[in-house]
Amino acid sequence: MSSPLTDSVPASPIRGRRLLEIIHQPLLGPLAALVLAIIVFGSITDNFLSTANLSLLLQQSVVIGILAVGQTLIILTGGIDLSIGAVAILGTLVMAKIGAVQGPWIGLAAAVVVCVLAGLINGTLVAVLNLPPFIVTLGTFTIFFAATQLYAGSQTYAAVEGVQTVLGESFKIGTFTLTYGVLMMFAVYLLVWYMLKQTATGQHIYAVGGNPDAAKLVGINTRKTLFYVYGLAGLIAAVAAWAALGRIPVADPNAFQQANLETITAVVIGGTSLFGGRGSIFGTLFGMLIVSVLRSGLTAAGVDALYQNIATGILVIAAVALDTLARRRSS
């Protein structure tokens, strides 16, 4: 027997609403772009879809992928972090240098402390002194970069084999090769997704980014939330530093110089609003994979690296333009 509700509501409007709900899913755009890029490059190049190439693509994405998680959290609060890459590189130097003298575990612990402190410095300046995140992190980027160069003394340092390089060790699933660094990256995404979706802290992060004044009115401690987010971003930078030494077991003060831009690119292409309060952590994962697929596919197609940068820049501008348009329509 049919219910009164189903009798009174036509089926086509219900299907229409469901279709609209699917279309407005924030993850749908980045996911569709990722699938389209894979199809295109799989069609025009010979080896793009080979397991060896896809495995390498994932392994090369680990460091930026982890850093992009920290960048996402900060952008969700309405801020931005131009120093997160420099913090990670400082972490690799601390890990390798102290690890060579005091042992690998002490080196790893020291790197975590240094990276978290760097994040908390940013958090203090933004949350307590109420300074603009862009200016704060631009200044600390310069400081951390110079400190890294001074600490390294224009030298590179080998990581201690074992715990410091374990994230670079690989294993096989069929013909597909994975590293523990890839598993660590997915673990970081899952943990932060859970925090954002299932905890009060996650809801506070969205509230602070969406409307800080309204967040204060409902009793959210916005300063404490910002302080926590920047400290957590520092911890995530330490994990990225660990993964970087697993990927290349040498701490180089000049490595990953484009990390800040690449993390922001992944976040924006993944659909997180630069105005804060809107976005998802898995959108960032898709955004990071889109950039990786684009670069890998264009490289396989023989396109010069400079043209790859132009294509990436166009993607970022298009993503920001769409975000701005969506924000205007919603307001």
Side-chain angles (χ1 to χ4, degrees):
M1 176 190 288
S2 60
S3 69
L5 180 61
T6 54
D7 286 342
S8 60
V9 179
S12 56
I14 293 177
R15 286 197 295 270
R17 283 199 298 273
R18 287 176 179 170
L19 180 60
L20 285 174
E21 288 174 1
I22 293 173
I23 291 173
H24 285 91
Q25 287 294 317
L27 288 179
L28 187 62
L31 179 60
L34 176 62
V35 172
L36 180 63
I38 292 174
I39 292 173
V40 169
F41 289 120
S43 303
I44 64 175
T45 61
D46 294 330
N47 298 319
F48 180 78
L49 291 179
S50 66
T51 55
N53 185 62
L54 294 178
S55 172
L56 181 63
L57 188 151
L58 269 182
Q59 293 173 39
Q60 290 175 335
S61 304
V62 166
V63 177
I64 299 302
I66 294 174
L67 284 174
V69 175
Q71 189 72 265
T72 302
L73 292 172
I74 291 174
I75 289 179
L76 281 175
T77 66
I80 197 165
D81 191 348
L82 301 179
S83 69
I84 196 167
V87 172
I89 298 307
L90 179 58
T92 62
L93 265 296
V94 170
M95 198 181 305
K97 282 193 71 173
I98 294 182
V101 179
Q102 303 293 335
W105 284 103
I106 300 296
L108 179 60
V112 170
V113 170
V114 168
C115 290
V116 171
L117 281 176
L120 292 178
I121 289 172
N122 284 333
T124 301
L125 294 171
V126 172
V128 179
L129 299 183
N130 202 28
L131 298 177
F134 182 89
I135 300 300
V136 166
T137 56
L138 180 61
T140 54
F141 161 74
T142 306
I143 294 170
F144 296 146
F145 179 77
T148 301
Q149 298 292 330
L150 291 170
Y151 186 60
S154 302
Q155 296 184 39
T156 59
Y157 296 87
V160 181
E161 292 289 333
V163 64
Q164 292 189 354
T165 58
V166 68
L167 295 183
E169 294 179 6
S170 63
F171 61 94
K172 281 185 174 293
I173 300 177
T175 58
F176 203 84
T177 302
L178 286 173
T179 65
Y180 292 107
V182 174
L183 297 185
M184 175 63 80
M185 177 181 72
F186 287 133
V188 171
Y189 274 89
L190 285 173
L191 286 172
V192 173
W193 171 83
Y194 180 84
M195 181 198 72
L196 288 174
K197 293 297 182 184
Q198 302 296 328
T199 70
T201 301
Q203 301 307 308
H204 292 178
I205 291 171
Y206 279 103
V208 168
N211 191 329
D213 294 331
K216 289 178 183 175
L217 288 175
V218 298
I220 296 174
N221 189 330
T222 56
R223 288 184 175 181
K224 181 180 177 182
T225 301
L226 288 173
F227 191 71
Y228 170 79
V229 166
Y230 279 89
L232 181 57
L235 177 61
I236 292 171
V239 177
W242 189 15
L245 286 187
R247 174 74 184 144
I248 301 175
V250 175
D252 184 349
N254 296 311
F256 296 104
Q257 292 194 358
Q258 300 296 320
N260 298 322
L261 179 61
E262 290 176 355
T263 58
I264 294 170
T265 300
V267 175
V268 172
I269 292 177
T272 295
S273 172
L274 280 175
F275 301 100
R278 184 162 51 86
S280 72
I281 200 67
F282 286 120
T284 296
L285 178 62
F286 293 148
M288 182 270 297
L289 290 175
I290 288 170
V291 176
S292 298
V293 165
L294 184 67
R295 288 192 178 278
S296 176
L298 290 176
T299 300
V303 177
D304 188 89
L306 293 176
Y307 289 106
Q308 295 179 26
N309 292 337
I310 291 173
T312 305
I314 292 172
L315 266 181
V316 173
I317 293 171
V320 172
L322 287 173
D323 177 42
T324 304
L325 182 62
R327 187 178 176 85
R328 287 175 181 169
R329 292 185 64 180
S330 63
S331 62

